[in-house]
């Protein structure tokens, strides 16, 4: 199977976990794609990218890397220099250029309301550095992150969200792989985390193939079929 089709590696972003890809995984597996939904540490961009890089490097055969939200920053850095990565897919995601951070890009255009929903929790990392783990307030999570997801599902997502450090969102990216690899982008037009204008700007700058969809930031949950179709398009185009 892996010899015929690339392995799809899905990388979640902040305030989510690997289960946010469940609907996408189901559809990709139905089309015989090998799939790995990676666990993104959400501790710091360089370390998170290295974590995903090592996972992708361990896979025999071609790989398509897919990132949601902050996961886009991660895959863009993780894929640099990896010969088996054939395409990048960004789903309501960041495509940072060298030195740019998620904080910088989300504020480049008006529209993000994420900041006013965050709850910081002080935390000490293994290296002794003091940072803040950022959570979205559970009562605000459905409207902010998952407005087009059924209420019961959004409430579960709020309770199970993975925090991201403020340092990770503020860390500048290294040289981006989207300058050397073909990229596909899904722009979520109702996104309250990353404004659609910012997503479109990054897609156009990367000369990516992109589509727009009326969806919230949680587009992989609310529209898994559309996300899977874009991934399939990227996989077939680079086969």
């Amino acid at each position: 199977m892996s010899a015929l089709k690339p392995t799809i590696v899905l990388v979640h972003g902040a305030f989510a976990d690997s289960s946010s890809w469940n609907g996408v995984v189901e559809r990709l597996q139905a089309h015989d794609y090998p799939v790995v939904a990676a666990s993104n540490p959400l501790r710091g961009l360089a370390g998170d990218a290295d974590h995903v890089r090592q996972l992708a490097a361990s896979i025999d055969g071609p790989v398509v890397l897919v990132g949601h939200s902050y996961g886009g920053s991660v895959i863009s850095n993780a894929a640099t220099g990896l010969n088996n990565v054939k395409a990048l897919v960004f789903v309501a995601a960041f495509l940072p250029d060298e030195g740019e951070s998620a904080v910088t890009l989300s504020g480049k255009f008006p529209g993000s309301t994420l900041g006013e929903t965050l709850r910081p929790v002080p935390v000490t990392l293994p290296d002794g550095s003091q940072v803040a783990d950022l959570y979205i307030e559970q009562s605000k999570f459905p409207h902010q992150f998952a407005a087009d997801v059924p209420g019961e599902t959004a409430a579960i997502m709020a309770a199970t969200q993975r925090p991201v450090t403020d340092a990770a969102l503020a860390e500048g990216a290294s040289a981006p792989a989207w300058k050397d690899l073909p990229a596909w982008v899904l722009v979520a037009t109702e996104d309250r985390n990353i404004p659609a204008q910012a997503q479109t700007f990054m897609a156009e700058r990367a000369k990516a193939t992109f589509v727009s969809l009326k969806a919230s930031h949680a587009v992989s949950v609310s529209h898994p079929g559309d996300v899977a179709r874009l991934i399939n398009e990227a996989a077939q185009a680079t086969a």
Side-chain angles (χ1 to χ4, degrees):
M1 182 187 299
S2 60
L4 297 174
K5 292 192 174 184
T7 298
I8 312 299
V9 177
L10 305 166
V11 181
H12 66 82
F15 320 113
D17 63 15
S18 296
S19 69
S20 62
W21 295 111
N22 283 356
V24 178
V25 171
E26 180 182 6
R27 286 158 176 79
L28 292 173
Q29 288 181 336
H31 288 86
D32 295 327
Y33 282 104
V35 185
V36 178
S39 180
N40 185 355
L42 304 177
R43 302 292 82 191
L45 181 53
D48 296 343
D50 190 57
H51 180 87
V52 172
R53 180 183 297 111
Q54 292 183 65
L55 172 62
S58 74
I59 295 171
D60 292 330
V63 169
V64 173
L65 279 179
V66 184
H68 172 242
S69 188
Y70 165 78
S73 298
V74 172
I75 67 167
S76 183
N77 285 183
T80 301
L82 280 185
N83 293 331
N84 65 329
V85 177
K86 304 304 180 183
L88 302 172
V89 182
F90 298 87
V91 179
F94 293 108
L95 290 77
D97 204 345
E98 189 167 4
E100 291 180 333
S101 70
V103 170
T104 300
L105 287 166
S106 63
K108 190 174 183 68
F109 298 95
S112 176
T113 55
L114 176 63
E116 60 203 60
T117 71
L118 294 177
R119 181 173 68 89
V121 177
V123 64
T124 303
L125 297 181
D127 65 2
S129 58
Q130 303 288 319
V131 298
D133 258 345
L134 301 178
Y135 294 82
I136 297 177
E137 292 278 3
Q138 289 196 28
S139 62
K140 298 176 180 177
F141 188 99
H143 178 75
Q144 176 63 38
F145 195 94
D148 57 351
V149 173
E152 291 183 0
T153 301
I156 293 172
M157 292 170 64
T160 59
Q161 65 178 289
R162 292 266 310 281
V164 64
T165 67
D166 56 354
L169 296 183
E171 184 176 339
S174 60
W178 52 257
K179 290 189 175 180
D180 301 308
L181 291 171
W184 279 257
V185 173
L186 190 154
V187 174
T189 63
E190 304 299 308
D191 196 328
R192 295 186 172 101
N193 280 21
I194 310 173
Q197 190 176 0
Q199 294 178 43
T200 302
F201 161 78
M202 290 183 282
E204 291 177 342
R205 180 177 65 175
K207 297 179 173 60
T209 300
F210 73 95
V211 297
S212 296
L213 183 67
K214 186 177 181 180
S216 74
H217 191 62
V219 60
S220 64
V221 179
S222 60
H223 295 83
D226 293 285
V227 174
R229 277 191 289 275
L230 187 65
I231 296 169
N232 179 62
E233 178 183 326
Q236 290 187 338
T238 55

